C-alpha cells in the first residue's frame, strides 16, 4: 500500500505565496510521474502541474510563471511553490503519483488534499 500526504495549505492574501508538500510512503519501488490537481467548490478536479521522473514539467496556462513544481526523489517528496496567488487559485489541492510498487504493480495514488484559500 502507498500513502500520499499533502501539507502546506492555508489562508493567504492575494499576491502572497504558499509552498505545498506531498510525501509518499509505503511499498514503493519507484515513483514515476507526480502531479498536482485542484478542485474548487462545485467544480471538477483540474490539472495544475506535473513532473516526470526525468524532470520534465508542464503546467496549466493559468499558473505558468507563478507556480513551480519540484521533486526530491530521495525523500519521495513533491513540492508546489505558489507565488502571486490569486483568489481564483482557491481550491483543495491534491497530489497524485504514478507508482511502481515493490510487487511491481503500477498504480496511480491520490492524497487527501490540502485547502488553499486566497483572500482578495
Amino acid at each position: 500500500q502507498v500513502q500520499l500526504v499533502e501539507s502546506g495549505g492555508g489562508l493567504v492574501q492575494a499576491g502572497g505565496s504558499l509552498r505545498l508538500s506531498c510525501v509518499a510512503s509505503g511499498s514503493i519501488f519507484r515513483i514515476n510521474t507526480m502531479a498536482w490537481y485542484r478542485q474548487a467548490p462545485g467544480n471538477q478536479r483540474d490539472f495544475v502541474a506535473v513532473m516526470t521522473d526525468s524532470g520534465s514539467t508542464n503546467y496549466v496556462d493559468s499558473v505558468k510563471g507563478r507556480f513551480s513544481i519540484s521533486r526530491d526523489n530521495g525523500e519521495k517528496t513533491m513540492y508546489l511553490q505558489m507565488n502571486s496567488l490569486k483568489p481564483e487559485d482557491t481550491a483543495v489541492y491534491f497530489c497524485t503519483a504514478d507508482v511502481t510498487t515493490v510487487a511491481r504493480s503500477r498504480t496511480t495514488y491520490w492524497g487527501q488534499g490540502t485547502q488553499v484559500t486566497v483572500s482578495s
Side-chain angles (χ1 to χ4, degrees):
Q1 189 63 285
V2 173
Q3 298 80 38
L4 301 178
V5 178
E6 303 97 334
S7 62
L11 173 63
V12 64
Q13 288 189 330
S17 298
L18 284 174
R19 188 193 196 205
L20 305 183
S21 299
C22 172
V23 180
S25 62
S27 303
I28 298 169
F29 173 72
R30 181 177 61 243
I31 300 177
N32 306 303
T33 299
M34 298 186 80
W36 290 97
Y37 281 72
R38 64 186 179 186
Q39 187 168 18
N43 289 0
Q44 65 184 16
R45 192 171 296 187
D46 293 324
F47 166 78
V48 176
V50 62
M51 182 176 241
T52 67
D53 54 353
S54 62
S56 297
T57 61
N58 194 22
Y59 300 87
V60 66
D61 285 347
S62 60
V63 308
K64 286 180 179 177
R66 300 189 298 122
F67 290 12
S68 178
I69 188 172
S70 60
R71 288 171 61 166
D72 182 335
N73 290 327
E75 296 296 324
K76 299 184 178 64
T77 302
M78 174 178 64
Y79 304 97
L80 186 68
Q81 178 66 43
M82 305 186 296
N83 300 326
S84 302
L85 282 160
K86 303 175 181 180
E88 51 264 44
D89 295 318
T90 294
V92 178
Y93 283 70
F94 297 89
C95 73
T96 181
D98 173 19
V99 175
T100 302
T101 68
V102 295
R104 300 303 191 269
S105 65
R106 188 162 177 171
T107 308
T108 298
Y109 294 89
W110 290 84
Q112 293 299 305
T114 185
Q115 176 70 47
V116 171
T117 303
V118 185
S119 63
S120 57

